[in-house]
Amino acid sequence: MSTSAVVMMIVAMVMVWGGLLLALINIKRSPEEVDELDTPAPGEQDRVPDEDAVRTGEPAAPGRRA
């Protein structure tokens, strides 16, 4: 490999690994806050979905508990 190829390889590696390191530091400093849309509505916490519906992607039958 020529000298310019080695230099470009090192620059690319520093950019990739440095970007990864900066992203990890950023995530550590400011973790994602829980959004109100992520929290279940009142009364939804005790509801258990139908196991067959979860596998097939269909909505659970009304009134049926697993």
Side-chain angles (χ1 to χ4, degrees):
M1 271 206 228
S2 66
T3 306
S4 61
V6 172
V7 169
M8 287 304 297
M9 181 182 69
I10 291 172
V11 168
M13 290 172 65
V14 167
M15 287 179 60
V16 169
W17 290 107
L20 176 64
L21 181 65
L22 289 175
L24 291 174
I25 291 171
N26 188 26
I27 290 173
K28 184 90 170 165
R29 283 188 179 172
S30 57
E32 183 178 339
E33 294 179 11
V34 177
D35 191 17
E36 66 184 45
L37 296 177
D38 293 339
T39 57
E44 290 282 323
Q45 295 174 0
D46 58 343
R47 195 170 131 203
V48 179
D50 185 9
E51 289 182 20
D52 293 330
V54 171
R55 263 182 265 144
T56 60
E58 298 173 5
R64 182 167 178 203
R65 296 182 67 88

